[in-house]
Amino acid sequence: MKKMLMLGAIGMAASAQAVDFKAGEWNVSLGGIVNAYYTQVSCSGDAVGGLALGGKGLGCGGQDNRTTIGNGLLPNGLVTSASSRQGEFDVKALIGIYNATATDSAIAANSGVDVRQAYFTFGNADIGTIKIGRDNGIFGATPIFADMTLIGAGAPVQATQRGRVTLGHIGAGYSYVGYYGQIAYSAPKSASGVGFDVALVSPVTDTPLLTAPVYSTKTSAQVQAQLSYAANGFKGWLGAKTQKFEATAPGVRDFTMSGVELGASYTQDAFGVLANFQGGKGLGILSDADQGDTKSKAWFAQATYKPADKVKLGISYGISRNDDNTAGTGGLKSNANLTLGLYYQMTSAITLVGEIGQTRSKGFAGGEGKMNGASLGGIIFF
């Protein structure tokens, strides 16, 4: 079941280079990913407030200029899967374990482990596929896994790169796809290219980066769904998600997160284009409800061109904009990022990457912060 929103780019890319062997009735695959990028950033302008990715506080880690050699948008990872045909069903299990490259210490243990994926699936071509366990969500999966900066860095936000990853266009074009405990169903893809995916997702609390959580959830699961179409190089998708958040702080009201996503992409020979829109209440800048019940919109567009078999050039732009200056925004009006990238596939496993870009954050009060960044490094899938 290699749908783009089931394994995600990490699992699929790793499995493409993985070592496969037979163990009884199981086909076992072991693969992984390692990457590192030299990132140099400089920040200028005003203190905007909130999750201002282009500001000095987050973009440059509190300094005017900063350098890191760490992960890009993807972490390092080890992905193991096992698949089998049992009776009338195709069965698969997968575990993905991830870790970051850069920390602020040369002697402290780099022991933070992120088990993003741990799930199993069963199904067949007639009934579709059921997935049970932890994996990426459906909402937002298509744009992030199709983002050219997925194998690069995108916005090299220093506050997240040390101990984790850069942000690509997360928070400046789309919200994070998220990883959840879930029970999901993918319908058999029709002959006409139509697909449908739906998931009951374990509800989450809000995770604001700068303040303590003020919402929780008790009884209502999050629901995510997507209708898609693919044919002749064209892909289109329409998605939605919703969850009830219950206030835990005095003077804060309960609310229901609701979001929609609409996008399309087209690939013809050496050219590729993509456009995606997200909008709703409680979608957050980085993750679910990290700005409370704020209404927001996000746009992402990308164009790529391959002048040679091993070389790809690309330009991508994204902006995430809050509709109103609610308490949850911290005064942030928008984050925008423009990235230019060069991607050289040195071997079937190794890609070398160079990117330059600018991230701008604007406040409702009129202030603007700017981060200029450059990234150079590489990634290997094995």
Side-chain angles (χ1 to χ4, degrees):
M1 175 177 160
K2 281 198 171 184
K3 293 188 176 183
M4 57 188 169
L5 49 79
M6 300 311 292
L7 288 182
I10 301 173
M12 287 192 294
S15 64
Q17 301 292 336
V19 176
D20 299 313
F21 57 93
K22 187 80 172 176
E25 61 181 359
W26 292 92
N27 296 308
V28 181
S29 177
L30 177 64
I33 173 176
V34 178
N35 71 97
Y37 295 89
Y38 175 97
T39 61
Q40 178 71 49
V41 297
S42 63
C43 292
S44 61
D46 307 307
V48 173
L51 294 171
L53 304 182
K56 179 178 176 179
L58 296 181
C60 289
Q63 303 177 17
D64 293 329
N65 303 277
R66 199 168 190 186
T67 296
T68 297
I69 300 176
N71 289 106
L73 181 51
L74 289 177
N76 306 315
L78 184 65
V79 180
T80 303
S81 65
S83 60
S84 176
R85 179 73 178 185
Q86 299 190 355
E88 299 179 353
F89 298 101
D90 296 314
V91 179
K92 185 170 186 175
L94 183 145
I95 297 178
I97 302 173
Y98 303 91
N99 183 261
T101 293
T103 67
D104 281 323
S105 173
I107 59 175
N110 183 24
S111 58
V113 174
D114 181 4
V115 184
R116 293 189 179 186
Q117 298 164 293
Y119 65 84
F120 71 93
T121 66
F122 61 93
N124 56 46
D126 295 324
I127 67 170
T129 303
I130 295 173
K131 176 173 61 176
I132 299 175
R134 178 178 175 83
D135 197 14
N136 61 267
I138 296 171
F139 189 94
T142 309
I144 192 171
F145 293 148
D147 189 342
M148 69 184 195
T149 70
L150 181 71
I151 60 170
V157 176
Q158 298 295 287
T160 62
Q161 189 185 23
R162 294 186 180 222
R164 203 163 173 85
V165 294
T166 63
L167 291 183
H169 284 279
I170 300 168
Y174 47 73
S175 58
Y176 186 47
V177 61
Y179 283 80
Y180 309 84
Q182 61 188 272
I183 299 176
Y185 171 72
S186 294
K189 199 161 189 178
S190 69
S192 61
V194 176
F196 176 71
D197 300 90
V198 63
L200 286 177
V201 169
S202 182
V204 295
T205 61
D206 61 315
T207 53
L209 187 62
L210 303 176
T211 62
V214 295
Y215 295 97
S216 68
T217 186
K218 297 179 181 178
T219 60
S220 301
Q222 185 175 139
V223 180
Q224 299 189 14
Q226 179 173 274
L227 181 67
S228 60
Y229 172 77
N232 301 319
F234 173 83
K235 296 179 182 178
W237 54 92
L238 174 63
K241 71 175 179 179
T242 183
Q243 180 190 310
K244 183 178 180 181
F245 283 88
E246 300 179 9
T248 60
V252 181
R253 296 183 299 177
D254 298 350
F255 80 98
T256 298
M257 175 184 70
S258 58
V260 296
E261 179 175 58
L262 177 65
S265 66
Y266 182 71
T267 302
Q268 177 67 43
D269 298 326
F271 294 91
V273 293
L274 179 146
N276 192 76
F277 167 80
Q278 294 177 350
K281 180 170 66 173
L283 292 180
I285 286 290
L286 300 180
S287 62
D288 298 338
D290 64 15
Q291 297 186 123
D293 61 354
T294 301
K295 293 181 179 179
S296 63
K297 298 179 179 67
W299 296 266
F300 173 63
Q302 173 179 282
T304 60
Y305 171 64
K306 296 185 68 174
D309 287 342
K310 293 187 175 184
V311 178
K312 183 171 73 173
L313 305 174
I315 180 171
S316 58
Y317 176 80
I319 183 169
S320 298
R321 186 188 301 273
N322 292 320
D323 291 356
D324 302 302
N325 189 14
T326 63
T329 68
L332 176 67
K333 184 176 183 180
S334 66
N335 289 318
N337 173 266
L338 174 67
T339 297
L340 303 176
L342 169 63
Y343 309 89
Y344 173 68
Q345 189 175 11
M346 187 175 72
T347 72
S348 61
I350 298 174
T351 301
L352 303 180
V353 178
E355 295 176 340
I356 58 173
Q358 185 178 89
T359 304
R360 289 179 178 264
S361 298
K362 295 183 179 181
F364 282 101
E368 181 179 47
K370 181 174 66 176
M371 176 186 71
N372 293 317
S375 305
L376 182 65
I379 187 169
I380 182 171
F381 294 100
F382 62 89

